[in-house]
Amino acid sequence: MRIVTGHLGAEAPIQESDIRALASMRTDLQGARVINYLCQRGLLAPQPPPDPHIARARHHATALPSPAFSTAVHTFIDVLLGQGTTSSRARSPKTVENYVAAILVTLEAWTADGLTDPREIIKKHIEDALDPLRGDQARRLHTALRSFFRALKRERLVFRDPARSVSLTSSRSVPTALPSDRIAGLLDRLADPRDRLMVALVAIYALLPGQLTHLRRTDFDRSKGQLRLRRPGRMDHVIYLDAFTLRLVTAWELQRHRRWPDSSNPHFFVSRNTAVDDSGPPISAGMIQLLFQRVGLPASRLRVDRIVDEARHSADPVRLMELFGLSNLSATRYVLSAHPDKKNGPITP
């Protein structure tokens, strides 16, 4: 504050860009805290922060050596963001970056082979790109290429979709439950209210790690005992919380208010860094990953265990859809995993 006001004065609102530029010069300057302080007192002229994921995706698209492929990737990004000629559901910035990163190496390889336009790509080119890959790497590229050419076809940058008829054979694992001794006393290993609530939401209500990071304070209604999960492009899923979870919610809210009473971050879960950041970022996925590493169980395995346990008791896919917001195919798969005798159909006549 002394540096900023000494150079710029305090008569007019201070530009956010000036503070961020100053904070980037020295590691001991707390730019986010100063911005949050000035914003709460109406002394800041804010700037809309560019999303880093979209910025990196645009940079990758611009860096492609072929102008035609570069234009195609920029169009692909527009479609993923819901800004194409036909309205569509916007994907998250992180998803956009992942899709662009997945196809980048393949597009560069095609350019090196003399292919300079997406209209030159045929089915065999895509099959050759997928052939040396296996597992998740192959699935990731297959999904990204199908989405890429589907977007170009819709925007009329290609005459036909060469990826439409390309299929990828993959094995799907059967969901299995965890041994009971691995989940016994799970919450007893944690002391922090935030950590205890995160683990409880996964172990009891089968939330995904990504859902934890994007929960907002307004999503919780303690008077009704409800949690609303926002799902873009789909209906919101409402979870009815039990008394134990509501006590954990209260404990975390009290701790958050005690530690950061002036925090303007709209997200429910915050850290010491995100609580004072005026842009209101969510906590990182790595933070949740480290939490479950301390617990000794991956969040995905704990979530699967909860759904499989419910499937064992109910054997009803409709109940799984209502409790956990699953699709009918996923709910049926869990029921068949828990009850192999129902292979002819999850619901017996």
Side-chain angles (χ1 to χ4, degrees):
M1 286 294 297
R2 288 196 300 270
I3 297 173
V4 171
T5 55
H7 284 272
L8 304 176
E11 291 77 14
I14 299 172
Q15 295 292 326
E16 179 182 346
S17 57
D18 293 334
I19 299 178
R20 294 192 183 277
L22 178 61
S24 65
M25 299 175 64
R26 285 169 45 183
T27 57
D28 61 327
L29 296 179
Q30 302 294 325
R33 293 180 182 273
V34 173
I35 289 173
N36 191 45
Y37 173 83
L38 294 175
C39 183
Q40 292 180 4
R41 285 154 182 79
L43 300 175
L44 183 73
Q47 63 176 10
D51 188 276
H53 299 295
I54 301 300
R56 284 191 291 267
R58 295 289 187 186
H59 174 74
H60 291 326
T62 304
L64 285 170
S66 168
F69 276 125
S70 178
T71 301
V73 175
H74 278 297
T75 302
F76 181 40
I77 295 173
D78 292 337
V79 172
L80 291 177
L81 293 175
Q83 301 170 1
T85 55
T86 303
S87 61
S88 61
R89 176 171 67 91
R91 302 301 183 96
S92 69
K94 179 63 175 175
T95 300
V96 174
E97 183 187 5
N98 289 341
Y99 272 50
V100 172
I103 65 174
L104 198 62
V105 175
T106 301
L107 297 184
E108 291 174 344
W110 285 341
T111 303
D113 291 340
L115 301 171
T116 59
D117 195 295
R119 290 175 292 185
E120 300 174 0
I121 305 302
I122 60 176
K123 179 180 178 181
K124 189 176 186 309
H125 292 133
I126 298 176
E127 292 175 338
D128 291 342
L130 293 171
D131 185 60
L133 304 179
R134 295 293 181 272
D136 291 340
Q137 193 176 11
R139 284 190 291 272
R140 190 179 303 112
L141 178 59
H142 179 247
T143 302
L145 286 176
R146 291 195 63 176
S147 181
F148 175 64
F149 283 104
R150 186 165 55 244
L152 298 188
K153 178 70 164 58
R154 197 177 73 174
E155 297 299 309
R156 299 187 178 184
L157 292 184
V158 296
F159 300 115
R160 62 188 181 282
D161 181 357
R164 182 177 181 179
S165 59
V166 176
S167 59
L168 187 67
T169 303
S170 60
S171 59
R172 176 171 290 183
S173 60
V174 177
T176 57
L178 290 168
S180 58
D181 59 337
R182 292 194 63 186
I183 59 177
L186 202 61
L187 295 181
D188 296 339
R189 308 172 197 172
L190 303 170
D192 187 77
R194 180 191 60 195
D195 295 346
R196 288 168 60 85
L197 178 56
M198 283 186 177
V199 173
L201 290 175
V202 174
I204 300 174
Y205 302 102
L207 264 67
L208 293 164
Q211 292 173 327
L212 292 177
T213 61
H214 292 96
L215 285 177
R216 294 179 172 266
R217 304 185 76 176
T218 54
D219 293 338
F220 284 88
D221 188 339
R222 285 195 297 157
S223 63
K224 296 181 180 179
Q226 293 180 356
L227 167 61
R228 182 176 297 277
L229 293 181
R230 305 171 187 270
R231 302 187 297 181
R234 302 169 59 191
M235 291 182 61
D236 293 345
H237 176 56
V238 178
I239 295 175
Y240 296 90
L241 305 175
D242 59 8
F244 173 73
T245 307
L246 285 173
R247 287 197 297 270
L248 295 179
V249 171
T250 302
W252 162 238
E253 287 186 328
L254 289 174
Q255 186 194 54
R256 170 177 170 151
H257 179 73
R258 185 167 55 252
R259 294 188 63 182
W260 305 289
D262 296 329
S263 174
S264 59
N265 193 314
H267 292 91
F268 185 70
F269 291 114
V270 294
S271 65
R272 63 181 180 179
N273 293 324
T274 64
V276 298
D277 194 328
D278 67 293
S279 62
I283 59 176
S284 65
M287 177 180 170
I288 296 180
Q289 185 178 6
L290 289 175
L291 165 62
F292 283 92
Q293 285 179 356
R294 297 203 314 269
V295 172
L297 287 171
S300 57
R301 292 289 290 119
L302 195 59
R303 176 179 184 269
V304 169
D305 176 82
R306 174 66 183 98
I307 301 175
V308 171
D309 180 71
E310 187 65 37
R312 284 176 175 172
H313 287 84
S314 67
D316 183 1
V318 177
R319 177 169 173 78
L320 299 185
M321 294 167 64
E322 293 175 348
L323 283 178
F324 308 116
L326 302 178
S327 66
N328 58 342
L329 294 178
S330 296
T332 302
R333 190 163 67 95
Y334 276 105
V335 171
L336 293 178
S337 172
H339 300 275
D341 56 304
K342 297 181 178 292
K343 288 298 183 183
N344 292 330
I347 303 177
T348 56

